[in-house]
Amino acid sequence: MNVQDPSASKPLPPLPRLIFASRWLQLPLYIGLILAQIVYVFHFWVELTHLIEAAFGDKNALQILVTSIGYKVDAGTTLSGLNETIIMLVVLGLIDVVMISNLLIMVIVGGYETFVSRMNLDGHPDQPEWLDHVNASVLKVKLATAIIGISSIHLLKTFINAGAYTDKVLISQTVIHVVFLLSALAIAATDRLLHPPQAHPH
C-alpha cells in the first residue's frame, strides 16, 4: 500500500506562493534573449552574404567588410579584392557570433531550467548532454568557460589586425583576457571546494 506524503499535496500559504511564483518574472528576460539570438542569426547571415559577394568581386561588399572588421589599409594602396587577412578576420567574426549564440543558448535553456521551471526534456532525443546535470554552479563554470573562448577569439582578431590598434589597446585586451581566465579558474576552484567529487568505491 502506497502512503502519500501529506506535505506533497499541501497548498502553500499565500505569501510563499507569491514569492515562489515571482520566478516567472524572469520569463520576459529569457524571451528577450531569444530575440537577441534572432538578431545574431540575422547578423551572421548578413556578414556571410557580404563575404560571398566580396569573393565574387563586389567592391561595395568588400568595403563593408573592411569597415566592419576595422581592417587598416596602408596609405597609398587600394584593395583589389579579398586577401587572407580579411578572410581570416571575417571568419573569426562569424565564429565569434556562433560562440556568443552558444552562450545565449546556455543562459536561456540552463537558466530557465535552473531558476524558472522544469522543461521535462528527459528522454527527448535532442536534449543537451550538459542539461541533465546542470545547476547554478555548473552553469557559472560553463558560462565562464564560454566567455574565455569568446575573449580568445577577440584577442586573436586584435593580434591579426595589430596594425590598426595602439600598444595600449593590445596590452589592455591581453590583461582583460588574463583576468577572465583567472576568474574562471577561481570559479571552478570554488565550485570544486564547495562540491568535492565523490570518491568511487573500488
Side-chain angles (χ1 to χ4, degrees), residues 2-174:
N2 295 329
V3 179
Q4 187 177 5
D5 184 1
S7 62
S9 58
K10 183 179 178 181
L12 288 172
L15 184 57
R17 188 189 313 151
L18 175 64
I19 294 174
F20 185 57
S22 67
R23 72 192 190 281
W24 289 102
L25 292 174
Q26 296 188 56
L27 182 59
L29 305 181
Y30 291 114
I31 293 175
L33 289 180
I34 293 173
L35 296 177
Q37 177 92 319
I38 294 173
V39 172
Y40 262 104
V41 171
F42 177 77
H43 175 73
F44 178 93
W45 282 103
V46 168
E47 288 289 303
L48 183 60
T49 301
H50 288 154
L51 179 61
I52 295 173
E53 290 173 346
F56 283 97
D58 189 325
K59 301 295 184 181
N60 184 50
L62 177 62
Q63 186 58 46
I64 292 174
L65 288 178
V66 169
T67 302
S68 66
I69 63 177
Y71 181 72
K72 184 178 180 180
V73 182
D74 294 333
T77 61
T78 57
L79 285 174
S80 58
L82 288 174
N83 58 38
E84 184 180 356
T85 302
I86 295 176
I87 295 173
M88 192 180 302
L89 289 171
V90 173
V91 171
L92 285 174
L94 295 178
I95 294 173
D96 190 28
V97 171
V98 172
M99 294 186 70
I100 294 177
S101 181
N102 291 340
L103 179 62
L104 282 171
I105 287 296
M106 277 194 287
V107 173
I108 294 169
V109 178
Y112 183 90
E113 176 86 8
T114 303
F115 301 109
V116 180
S117 179
R118 295 292 182 188
M119 301 176 70
N120 298 320
L121 294 177
D122 294 337
H124 194 284
D126 294 329
Q127 179 186 6
E129 180 273 333
W130 51 269
L131 191 59
D132 58 355
H133 55 269
V134 71
N135 54 44
S137 297
V138 173
L139 192 59
K140 282 190 295 185
V141 174
K142 287 187 175 295
L143 293 180
T145 305
I147 290 173
I148 290 175
I150 294 169
S151 176
S152 299
I153 295 296
H154 274 274
L155 194 59
L156 181 57
K157 288 170 60 180
T158 301
F159 285 158
I160 291 173
N161 196 26
Y165 300 95
T166 63
D167 291 343
K168 182 179 180 180
V169 172
L170 295 174
I171 295 173
S172 298
Q173 290 198 13
T174 304

